[in-house]
Each structure stands twice: as C-alpha cells, then as structure tokens.
Amino acid sequence: MLKVRKFTCENLTYGCVTDEPHPCFSFSVDSDRQGAKLEKAVLTVGNWSTETTRQIAVPYAGEELQPFTTYEALLEVRDDAGETAHSRISFETGRMDTPWKARWITDGSYTFTEKKVSPVPMNFRYRFKTDKKVKSARIYATAMGIYEILLNGEKVGDEYFAPGFTSYKTRLQYQTYDVTSHITRENELNVVAGGGWAVGSFVFTRKNRISADRQALLLELRITYADGSVSVTGTDTNWEVTEEGNYREADIYDGETYDATVCLDKINWRKAALEKLKIRPRIFAASGAPVRAHETLFPKSCSRTVKGLVYDFGQNFAGVVELSIRAKKGQKIIVSHAEILNPDGTLNTDFLRTATARATYICREGVQKYSPKLTYMGFRYICIEGIAQEDVEVSAKALYSDVEEQGTFCCSSSKLNRLQSNITWSAKSNFMDIPTDCPQRDERMGWTGDIAVFAPTACWNFNMSRFLDKWLSDMEAEQLPTGGIPNTIPAQGYGFPATMPAMAIEFWGDACILVPWALYQAEGDKHVLEKYYPMMKKYVDACRFWAGLFSAGKHRYIWNTPSMLHFGDWVAPDVPQMSQWQKRSKWTATASLCNTSGILSDIAEILGMGQDAEKYRKISKRTADAYCSILTDGNGKLKEEFQTAYVLPLYFGMFDGPAKEKAVDNLVRLVKKNDYCIGTGFPGTPYILFALADNGRADEAYRMLLNEKCPSWLYEVKCGATTIWERWDGLDEKGVCPIGDDGTDQMISYNHYASGAVGDFLYRRVAGIEARKPGYKRFKIEPVPGDGLTFAKGSVETPYGRIVSEWKREGDKFTVHAEVPVGSQCTLKLPDGTAEILESGRYERHCRLTGTDRQERER
Ligand code: BGC
C-alpha cells in the first residue's frame, strides 16, 4: 500500500505560522511494494495546484497569501502501479509585515545601571472584556528580554525563552499563540519579561543591556468574533507594569529567584510607558525551533551532605528542576547545580566560573510546585537546601530546541552505544535556540567553530533545518564588511579581540560554509545554498586575502597570519598550552582554505555559476599544492608533524598519488606512537577516523575508536561520562579533575559536543550510510566492519523516508539488511566488493568476509 509518510510546510508537520510569501512543502511516501516509484504528486493550496515529482521544498506559487489566514494544503500522490494516497496539512500566515497596532511598552520609571547583572524581571498586566462569541483569538508577541505570558492564570504556549535568540539589532522574532480557548468574558493578561540575552548579563564578561536598557514588550491580541468582526488591541499605556512580581531575579547564568508569597493583586502597579528602542530590528514570524521541555528526568539517588541534599539524575543535561513541595509560608529553598561532585559528595561548581546557576524559591503555605522559567542550567547533580527530603519530590525537565530526532545508531559495543547517547545528549544540551558551546558555565554562546565541526553529526541525529537556517540568517546579518564572521553568532556583546573576526578565522568562520553544506547534504534543499552563497563567497574571499597577505609566490596560499589571531588546533590534547594549539594555525588555516574554497566551488557548480566554480577550484588546488610543497617534503612527510596536520590534507584530498600513501603511513606511525590515542583538536577530530579508514586503514581507525586510554572517546565513557567533554582528560578514573593550573583550567566543561563529531563516522562508515546526492536522493550503503564489532545498525529519516543499514557478522558470514525509501536509490556495497543498485524496499544480502578484516588477514 502507498501512503504519505510525512508532509510538511516550512519543515513542520503542524503548527506552522509563517511570514514567507512562498512557503515550501516537502513530503515523503512509503510503500510495502518493492521497487515502488513515485509517479506524480499534486499539491494544492486554495486554487493553486502544481504537479510535481520533486519531494523537497516545493515553493507555493499561487496568488498572494493574505496575513492572519489559515490555509489548507492537500497532497495527492500516485506510484508507478497506479496506487494513490493523500494527506492534508494546514498552515497559517503571520503578520506578513502588517504594521503593529501595539506599541513597545516598558516601565518608564525603571532604570538599572548596575554592571554584570540582569535586571529585575518586569511584569505587565492588562484586563479586558469580551462580550461577543469568539471564533478565534491570536496573540502576536515579542520582547526585549525573554517573556512568558499568562492569560487568565494559564500559561500561553509551551515555549521557553521566547522570543528566542537572534541578532537583535537586525532580526527579532515574534511568536503567534492560538488563545481561542483561553478567552472568557473577563480576562487578564500577565506577562513577565526577564533580561534574557537582550538586556540581561551575557558573555563571560557579563556585559548587560546589550540590545536594550530595560525590558520592553510588544504584544497584539487579535480576536475574530463569530459575527465576523475583528478586534485588535495591543500593548499601550493602558497596560500596567511593576517589578514587584514573583520573579525577583532572573539571569541566564545565575539562575532565578521566585517568591511565591507575592500576590500580584496586592503589589504596586504603575501605568506602562511607551518605549523607544535603541535598535530597529525587522520583526518576523518565528522561523527557528523553539525551546521546549522534552524528557523528564528523575533522580537516581539522593544523599545527605554537609551542604544539603544532593540528587544525582544519572545524566548530564541542560534544563530545569521541577519540585513538588510541602512547605511553610516564607520557607526558602535553594537549588544549586553542578556537572560533577567533589570527593566528599558535595557539588563541584569550580568550573561554572561566574555562573551562580542557582534557583531560589520562597514558598507559600502548603503544597506547591516550582520550576524555573527564565533561566536554565547544565547539570547532572543538584543540591537542595532549606527543606527536608520527605517534603520535596524532585524531577527535572530537559530543555532544548524542538529538533526532531531522526537518526539512530547502535552496535554490539555497549561503550560505543553510550558514546552515541553522549553525543545526542550533548547536542540536545547545546541546542538552546542557537547552537551553543556548553550549557553550564558563563558562556553558552553561539561559538561558530563548535557547530562547524559538529554539523554533519547533528544532521544525522536531528532534523536541523529550521534551527540552523535561523541561526545562519543571524550569521549572514552579522558578517562583517570585510567578509569575516564573528566568532560567536549572535555576537551579542562578544567582540574580543575585535580584529579577529574582521580577519576571518579558519574553522570558526568556516561555519558559514560547513553548516549550510551539511544541511544541504542531509536535507537536499538548494535554497540554503542560494540564500547564503553571497555570505560564503565574501568569507572565502576574505580567507584568500588574509592568506595571501605579506607573502609571495606559492607562499601566498599558506595562511600564516599571526597565530594569536587564530584558534588553530584548539584543545589538541598532545600539547597542553592554548598558545601551542594556536601555533598550529598555519596548517589548520591553510587546509581550511583548501577545503572551503573547494566546497564553494562545488556549490557554485550546483548553482550554475561556472566562472566562480572555476575560480574557487583553482584556489583550492593551489592551496593544496602549496601545503604539500611547502609544509611537507613533497613526498607525504610533514616538516613538522602532528596528527591534525596529516588528517586535514588527507580528508580534504590535498595529497596526490604516492605522496598520499606516504602521508597515510606517516599518520599511522604517529597514531601508533601515541598508542592509538587522540592527538587532534577541534579541526582534526571529526576527520581522523575517515583519514585512516578511507585509506585502507580501517583496522587502525577501529583501534582508535575503541581505545579506552586517555585521550580517547571511550576513555570518557569508561570514566562514566554521560555527555561529551570539552577536554579529553576532564576527569580521571576516580572522577576527579586532574587538570592543574596550566592556563586552560578555566576551560573544563563536561558538555561540549565538538569532539562528538565522531558521530558522523559511526553513521557513515560503521553503519555505512552515505549520501551521494543531496537529501539521499541517491545514497550508498557500504559498511566498514571492524575488529571488535559483531553488529551495527544505523537508521536515518531522510527527506525521502527512512534509510536503514544493519549488519551482523557470524564467523566469516556477513549479513546486511538495507531499507531504501521510495523516491531514492541505493548502491549497496558489501565488504567482499560486490555491489548492486537497489530501488525502494527492504533487502537482505550476504557475503563472506575476506581481507577487510584483520583477523581474516592474519589467519
Ligand atoms: C568555548 C569553545 C570555543 C572556544 C573558542 C571556548 O571558551 O567553550 O568551545 O569554540 O572558546 O575560543
């Protein structure tokens, strides 16, 4: 039977509210008939209809969409046997630039000038009556700060941290809430706005008031009555405001203080004042992936310590606690958070730096619940003070952006399975409206380098379309006229040292190429390339410019600007000092230029820009040539050797012929000498196993992957890690942090996804799934079995449906099970070299294992 598997508008199956004049539709279909092909699809919206076989991002091209309107989209599909199926979704248009009737309001009498802290949360209130029957009601809202709306005492929507984090000076999201069912005759709107990223303290320098001097609110309520009339009211001076509400403090890093004894009817309210913002952003319908509560976690244990009750959730994550409390009025409960414990069982908060990460709750009388709303923490452990164990029930909610999980990986090694789980937990913990570096200390910033290397792995495990597209738009908005990309996006107060992004920085700036490219490979939507092409081009031109400065001849392709202006082989464990990581920038930057210009050339080709394609291909080739002739002996041996310096040119295809084989031998020599431990920093870590496995050294790759000696992926697992660490040696086997005062001791996070970039290898080589055409229109399944694993399975939800590759080995018998979605085609390659092309359906194939397997070879 044929059926529609997924049908989306703007990558959402439901709840899409968009300001796009041409929203895009995508769909996948399933059939239980082997070889089924999609023959045609008809997509209809209103009186517009199109016949297509394209399944990804079909743009609406009918008559102009009207704002504030719900539309139905109908999809009818037919396969090559004449079977049909259909599906329907609805989407809603947002304001589509309709001028706001609402005005920005604030508390005109509130000023805060204190440095390094966040403002007191501001409460807004408005009462109104409705005397006619309501057909539908919507709230459109945004704020300077982060806000939460209550209508008649009930929370509106289920998002955290609205309006989300964007490049506020140019882009600000508004949210749309369907409040039809909330409206009664007499109504009260209550909105609280914390400082968030716009007004509150942010960045490790704890800057505040970056985008606005105090919180402000813009909210419009649009009610359509049963008689067809429409009323629009919005924030204005009829609203009231106060800072005497329940939220006494709220800060992204420091946490929150909530006083439940405060009764909103008994405090002083003032008339709200109109606010003139100091920025003029474009306000558009939220386009990203809002933060919501996902998993509920329950403590695995509780112990009494000198500091209070310590609970262990058994999992490091980002989120908030949820407490059910029985208490006396005025009782004060303090919840502290940490990723690790001290040997005496108390919380170790040393590495949170200035982030206090504490939730304080002042109780009312009786039974009550509390969970922070205007902050979040990265933690595994909490310590509760101020209440007896029997009077509190503890749980926690994982908060992260709504990115749909779309991949699974498992295999016969429980440790690798734990690694996969750690990778996805670190991803979730750091998808907090923007891709962050870590969720716990006073950073949580949109560091570009981290997602640059992690994007392919992210795209295996989650549908990243909306989340990354929104963030890339911020990047585009913040690109400097010189072509450089700020190191954190949104830059929001971070500008140290100011010259660095102006210069373009390898790998960190490369995010503007690597992220859209990963997204395009996974989701197959060319718009992402079209949209960001000018940004990419400007960036690569900047890289090329800086590489060529102050040098002549071939040296113009060796990017050798002073190393303190780079991150180089960031966090490489084989050299201890930050300056030594940075000193490797000559190699990392040159290889990066070769890679980004090469990818840009491919993109230009895809977009039909032949001249550009040729120009960047040349840059890429010349850079590769310069790397080989200047940094190596011309025969695959680096003049100065370290793992990353071999890994990058090998993975980026920079060596030719015999030099390449020599380079592989040399890398293997280094790896063996290092006892199969990792020696790579951010740039080399995602690629080292490919550099080995793709060059005939799968055995060595597996030895490295399965190594448990520090530094290695499984060392962390062996030490009980439940997320990916920033530093490979973050803890010793007794759970104590061994990193001394070496200048990098302030960089110890246990939830940093960058080195989890190895996830790409798990899917692409261990399970063996690889896209050959974007979106997996064509793909291959070619598992690379290795020592130590007897089975592995990878699955991924692609734009065409679910791909599965599952293999097992029993003695020398190798069996693979493959699933191919309708609309795509798979080349299945078995370890014995046999290959065949598979159309949609499920397949099982066998072969005998031969020379790919070390034991076989040694036998
Ligand atoms: C962050 C990193 C980031 C780096 C760059 C660190 O403090 O946590 O992940 O990429 O700085 O300097």
Side-chain angles (χ1 to χ4, degrees):
M1 211 178 68
L2 184 71
K3 59 177 202 268
V4 176
R5 178 182 177 85
K6 198 172 181 187
F7 180 27
T8 61
C9 176
E10 294 290 295
N11 286 305
L12 289 175
T13 47
Y14 66 92
C16 172
V17 179
T18 182
D19 278 349
E20 283 297 326
H22 306 287
C24 287
F25 297 90
S26 304
F27 65 92
S28 55
V29 297
D30 272 346
S31 168
D32 50 9
R33 186 171 57 86
Q34 195 105 322
K37 286 197 176 72
L38 177 75
E39 202 168 86
K40 74 166 190 180
V42 179
L43 175 64
T44 308
V45 178
N47 49 24
W48 173 77
S49 196
T50 185
E51 197 182 303
T52 182
T53 48
R54 179 169 150 191
Q55 291 181 246
I56 302 173
V58 181
Y60 169 78
E63 60 193 40
E64 200 180 336
L65 297 175
Q66 296 307 307
F68 311 115
T69 310
T70 302
Y71 290 89
E72 286 252 307
L74 174 68
L75 174 73
E76 292 166 284
V77 292
R78 195 170 74 198
D79 72 7
D80 57 336
E83 274 198 77
T84 60
H86 66 272
S87 177
R88 212 178 270 278
I89 51 171
S90 63
F91 67 98
E92 195 177 311
T93 47
R95 308 182 58 84
M96 304 190 97
D97 293 326
T98 307
W100 290 75
K101 196 172 164 196
R103 314 276 302 270
W104 280 101
I105 55 167
T106 187
D107 180 350
S109 64
Y110 180 68
T111 45
F112 98 103
T113 48
E114 215 182 317
K115 292 207 162 122
K116 298 185 188 270
V117 293
S118 285
V120 178
M122 212 175 259
N123 280 71
F124 298 90
R125 179 169 81 174
Y126 180 65
R127 293 182 171 140
F128 63 97
K129 286 191 181 145
T130 43
D131 37 21
K132 288 196 283 182
K133 192 163 184 282
V134 173
K135 186 173 156 227
S136 73
R138 296 283 185 278
I139 284 176
Y140 301 92
T142 187
M144 281 288 104
I146 48 177
Y147 71 88
E148 188 185 43
I149 305 175
L150 299 184
L151 177 51
N152 300 328
E154 252 179 75
K155 181 174 159 74
V156 167
D158 55 0
E159 295 185 19
Y160 282 73
F161 316 138
F165 192 7
T166 49
S167 179
Y168 295 127
K169 55 182 181 294
T170 49
R171 292 165 28 85
L172 176 65
Q173 299 190 118
Y174 70 84
Q175 282 67 36
T176 303
Y177 305 96
D178 180 351
V179 290
T180 316
S181 63
H182 288 69
I183 305 266
T184 57
R185 277 183 80 82
E186 311 248 318
N187 302 281
E188 179 172 317
L189 267 168
N190 263 295
V191 183
V192 62
W197 299 281
V199 193
S201 82
F202 189 59
V203 178
F204 45 77
T205 51
R206 306 298 298 258
K207 251 191 162 155
N208 60 11
R209 291 172 287 136
I210 299 166
S211 304
D213 289 333
R214 56 193 164 192
Q215 300 94 307
L217 176 71
L218 181 72
L219 181 152
E220 207 166 277
L221 171 68
R222 199 182 168 86
I223 305 181
T224 307
Y225 296 99
D227 65 7
S229 60
V230 176
S231 80
V232 182
T233 45
T235 39
D236 60 17
T237 50
N238 293 317
W239 283 60
E240 295 169 288
V241 67
T242 184
E243 289 79 53
E244 293 177 20
N246 303 96
Y247 290 90
R248 306 307 315 136
E249 294 172 316
D251 180 279
I252 301 269
Y253 302 136
D254 290 340
E256 175 178 298
T257 300
Y258 187 95
D259 186 347
T261 64
V262 171
C263 172
L264 291 182
D265 284 332
K266 295 194 180 137
I267 53 175
N268 298 308
W269 291 84
R270 277 182 289 280
K271 216 167 133 84
L274 298 183
E275 178 72 316
K276 194 169 168 7
L277 298 190
K278 63 181 182 191
I279 52 171
R280 293 192 132 267
R282 188 173 82 79
I283 304 177
F284 62 98
S287 63
V291 175
R292 293 202 164 93
H294 293 267
E295 293 87 345
T296 300
L297 291 94
F298 295 96
K300 301 274 180 266
S301 68
C302 171
S303 52
R304 242 172 266 277
T305 70
V306 287
K307 294 272 174 65
L309 297 166
V310 171
Y311 291 83
D312 174 6
F313 286 97
Q315 174 64 53
N316 199 19
F317 65 104
V320 285
V321 291
E322 191 165 37
L323 308 179
S324 298
I325 302 162
R326 186 201 319 270
K328 290 262 165 275
K329 184 173 179 193
Q331 193 173 330
K332 190 175 177 184
I333 299 175
I334 299 175
V335 187
S336 310
H337 303 72
E339 294 184 294
I340 56 167
L341 294 180
N342 291 314
D344 68 355
T346 56
L347 302 194
N348 179 341
T349 54
D350 291 353
F351 309 128
L352 303 183
R353 307 197 308 212
T354 68
T356 317
R358 195 177 289 148
T360 303
Y361 181 71
I362 299 157
C363 306
R364 54 173 192 272
E365 186 70 27
V367 174
Q368 53 213 289
K369 274 193 176 194
Y370 169 65
S371 183
K373 294 282 171 45
L374 302 178
T375 187
Y376 73 96
M377 336 277 180
F379 63 105
R380 168 175 168 167
Y381 304 94
I382 56 166
C383 176
I384 306 189
E385 295 161 75
I387 191 159
Q389 194 178 348
E390 54 277 17
D391 290 331
V392 59
E393 263 174 49
V394 175
S395 63
K397 296 188 274 198
L399 300 185
Y400 52 90
S401 274
D402 245 347
V403 284
E404 196 185 324
E405 286 194 56
Q406 65 177 14
T408 63
F409 173 85
C410 64
C411 65
S412 53
S413 155
S414 58
K415 288 200 171 111
L416 274 191
N417 295 342
R418 183 71 233 191
L419 174 67
Q420 164 67 12
S421 161
N422 294 358
I423 293 170
T424 52
W425 270 109
S426 274
K428 291 171 178 180
S429 312
N430 284 294
F431 295 158
M432 204 58 80
D433 209 62
I434 59 154
T436 63
D437 55 337
C438 56
Q440 73 298 82
R441 68 180 179 221
D442 53 3
E443 235 167 313
R444 315 185 196 183
M445 293 148 70
W447 281 101
T448 49
D450 303 49
I451 190 67
V453 297
F454 189 68
T457 301
C459 289
W460 280 110
N461 291 302
F462 303 95
N463 187 321
M464 300 298 293
S465 318
R466 290 181 61 95
F467 178 83
L468 288 178
D469 190 33
K470 162 182 162 282
W471 183 72
L472 286 167
S473 296
D474 293 317
M475 179 183 279
E476 188 188 28
E478 299 210 356
Q479 183 172 36
L480 292 137
T482 52
I485 305 279
N487 295 322
T488 61
I489 299 290
Q492 197 68 2
Y494 182 68
F496 167 81
T499 49
M500 287 169 77
M503 281 193 57
I505 298 185
E506 86 280 10
F507 280 95
W508 271 249
D510 294 5
C512 78
I513 309 270
L514 302 183
V515 173
W517 188 237
L519 205 51
Y520 173 63
Q521 297 301 327
E523 304 300 335
D525 181 359
K526 210 159 88 173
H527 292 124
V528 83
L529 303 183
E530 286 162 354
K531 197 159 144 194
Y532 301 115
Y533 187 71
M535 162 170 74
M536 303 184 198
K537 213 175 128 158
K538 240 166 100 178
Y539 171 72
V540 173
D541 288 346
C543 297
R544 172 70 200 101
F545 170 80
W546 288 106
L549 208 63
F550 314 124
S551 42
K554 272 192 177 179
H555 284 265
R556 287 184 310 118
Y557 291 88
I558 297 291
W559 188 351
N560 199 14
T561 37
S563 66
M564 66 206 263
L565 302 174
H566 295 261
F567 295 120
D569 203 11
W570 191 254
V571 201
D574 57 345
V575 281
Q577 295 288 323
M578 199 180 284
S579 61
Q580 287 170 282
W581 305 337
Q582 290 174 298
K583 273 198 189 119
R584 292 176 170 179
S585 62
K586 184 166 50 166
W587 293 265
T588 55
T590 305
S592 134
L593 176 61
C594 171
N595 185 41
T596 54
S597 52
I599 295 175
L600 188 59
S601 163
D602 289 347
I603 295 173
E605 193 90 54
I606 293 164
L607 300 180
M609 303 194 209
Q611 270 185 357
D612 277 6
E614 207 178 303
K615 171 179 159 190
Y616 293 108
R617 180 65 52 213
K618 249 189 217 154
I619 294 179
S620 182
K621 276 189 88 86
R622 287 186 183 158
T623 310
D625 181 45
Y627 192 101
C628 296
S629 53
I630 295 169
L631 303 180
T632 77
D633 66 355
N635 197 20
K637 186 165 189 308
L638 280 154
K639 292 178 184 160
E640 206 170 306
E641 294 188 299
F642 56 99
Q643 289 184 9
T644 297
Y646 280 115
V647 168
L648 296 180
L650 279 170
Y651 185 74
F652 297 157
M654 293 162 69
F655 289 116
D656 274 335
K660 181 174 169 185
E661 277 166 45
K662 288 269 167 29
V664 175
D665 290 342
N666 288 321
L667 172 63
V668 170
R669 176 174 45 78
L670 290 193
V671 165
K672 278 190 178 156
K673 201 168 126 207
N674 208 29
D675 218 2
Y676 293 89
C677 287
I678 299 279
T680 49
F682 272 34
T685 302
Y687 312 126
I688 186 162
L689 299 185
F690 290 100
L692 294 167
D694 294 356
N695 291 299
R697 305 300 178 97
D699 303 344
E700 321 288 352
Y702 269 92
R703 274 190 81 163
M704 195 165 210
L705 175 64
L706 297 171
N707 193 5
E708 294 181 18
K709 245 184 93 178
C710 185
S712 69
W713 289 283
L714 295 193
Y715 168 76
E716 295 181 8
V717 170
K718 188 172 74 175
C719 293
T722 59
T723 37
I724 302 290
W725 302 344
E726 179 175 27
R727 306 282 295 274
W728 301 94
D729 53 351
L731 288 178
D732 65 18
E733 288 181 47
K734 290 193 212 95
V736 176
C737 176
I739 302 171
D741 186 7
D742 66 352
T744 57
D745 55 317
Q746 286 299 302
M747 281 183 43
I748 300 166
S749 140
Y750 297 93
N751 211 345
H752 242 75
Y753 53 49
S755 65
V758 67
D760 188 30
F761 186 84
L762 302 181
Y763 282 95
R764 264 210 288 155
R765 292 295 177 267
V766 180
I769 307 169
E770 188 160 58
R772 290 193 142 175
K773 287 256 170 81
Y776 303 84
K777 177 86 187 141
R778 301 265 181 281
F779 65 97
K780 69 173 181 176
I781 291 182
E782 185 181 4
V784 179
D787 254 5
L789 293 191
T790 52
F791 92 86
K793 176 180 179 181
S795 80
V796 59
E797 182 72 32
T798 73
Y800 296 95
R802 187 164 182 255
I803 293 176
V804 178
S805 163
E806 181 174 1
W807 60 260
K808 64 175 183 212
R809 53 201 285 180
E810 292 151 305
D812 64 353
K813 185 176 165 202
F814 186 85
T815 306
V816 62
H817 167 82
E819 289 179 27
V820 183
V822 178
S824 65
Q825 192 184 65
C826 168
T827 303
L828 174 67
K829 267 193 170 176
L830 299 180
D832 69 355
T834 53
E836 69 179 303
I837 294 192
L838 307 174
E839 302 294 343
S840 72
R842 293 155 178 258
Y843 302 86
E844 192 156 297
R845 296 289 185 266
H846 308 275
C847 76
R848 284 176 58 85
L849 278 176
T850 52
T852 50
D853 174 273
R854 175 140 41 109
Q855 285 165 353
E856 280 288 319
R857 219 172 18 239
E858 282 167 4
R859 215 177 282 158

